[in-house]
Amino acid sequence: MRNGVLPKTLHVDEPTPHVDWSAGAVELLTEARPWPETDHPKRAAVSSFGVSGTNAHVIIEEAPAVEAAEPEGEAEAPAPATPALNTSDTLPWTLSAKSGEALAAQARRLLDHLAQRPEATPAEIGHSLATTRAQFDHRAVVIGDDRAQFTEALEALATGEASPNVVETTAGTHLGKTVFVFPGQGSQWARMGVDLYESSPVFA
């Protein structure tokens, strides 16, 4: 989609004769070709049907085009980075650890890091926490608009105090989880899975 190319169907020399390819608009691509430009966004369907029971399908659509803004006059030098964000820029900082005690210790280490790196912006720290740290079962999200709020929330997390800017949870403890059950293609036998549905509340 990004390169504007309709890919060749793999491992196919010619379309199957068991399908009337002239009856509709569906076509098997035996060779790659340019993706036609139309007044609609490009859309593609990706399927996975595995012999072990995988049954997945996703439809993707190209992102809208973004027009580059025309520069007006001479470009101004960018303003120096400041540790504080605008009050409208509320950000989350994600932390995780293998235990509640380790989570509190990580909050204390992050407080020390903030004291040593006054030039680091909340956005930079939040990005690093979200993209460079491993995910463990004990987790917390610290929310703030500026360094002062983040510092206050981290201190609450480190000492075990309640804070409206701290949310703690443990992975896998939420109720109401959704399970998708695929008992088969439906060709094995009629009403497959009904007995288990009626006898097992967990399955139901």
Side-chain angles (χ1 to χ4, degrees):
M1 183 178 289
R2 181 183 296 113
N3 296 325
V5 176
L6 296 173
K8 171 185 176 180
T9 301
L10 299 178
H11 316 302
V12 174
D13 296 326
E14 59 181 347
T16 175
H18 299 292
V19 173
D20 183 2
W21 297 100
S22 64
V26 176
E27 183 178 354
L28 187 66
L29 296 184
T30 56
E31 296 293 338
R33 67 178 63 174
W35 197 315
E37 294 290 342
T38 66
D39 57 349
H40 299 290
K42 295 183 178 70
R43 296 185 182 95
V46 182
S47 302
S48 177
F49 305 114
V51 68
S52 62
T54 301
N55 186 348
H57 189 75
V58 64
I59 298 174
I60 60 175
E61 178 179 297
E62 69 175 332
V66 178
E67 297 183 3
E70 292 291 333
E72 298 181 3
E74 295 183 2
E76 297 182 359
T82 174
L85 295 174
N86 295 328
T87 55
S88 60
D89 293 333
T90 302
L91 296 172
W93 286 3
T94 57
L95 298 88
S96 71
K98 294 183 178 180
S99 67
E101 294 78 7
L103 191 63
Q106 187 181 130
R108 286 189 289 271
R109 287 194 299 272
L110 188 52
L111 282 168
D112 294 339
H113 179 76
L114 287 177
Q116 297 169 7
R117 296 287 305 278
E119 76 283 0
T121 67
E124 291 171 339
I125 295 172
H127 179 266
S128 296
L129 289 171
T131 59
T132 65
R133 305 286 295 183
Q135 295 297 316
F136 298 106
D137 287 347
H138 291 264
R139 302 175 183 181
V141 176
V142 178
I143 303 168
D145 294 336
D146 52 34
R147 289 176 68 97
Q149 281 193 356
F150 282 114
T151 299
E152 182 179 345
L154 286 172
E155 289 174 347
L157 179 60
T159 57
E161 298 177 2
S163 169
N165 289 354
V166 177
V167 179
E168 288 188 72
T169 187
T170 302
T173 60
H174 299 291
L175 299 177
K177 293 185 290 186
T178 301
V179 177
F180 295 92
V181 180
F182 300 94
Q185 298 174 335
S187 61
Q188 284 79 2
W189 59 84
R191 297 172 61 81
M192 181 178 180
V194 171
D195 290 343
L196 186 58
Y197 177 84
E198 292 176 345
S199 62
S200 171
V202 174
F203 182 87

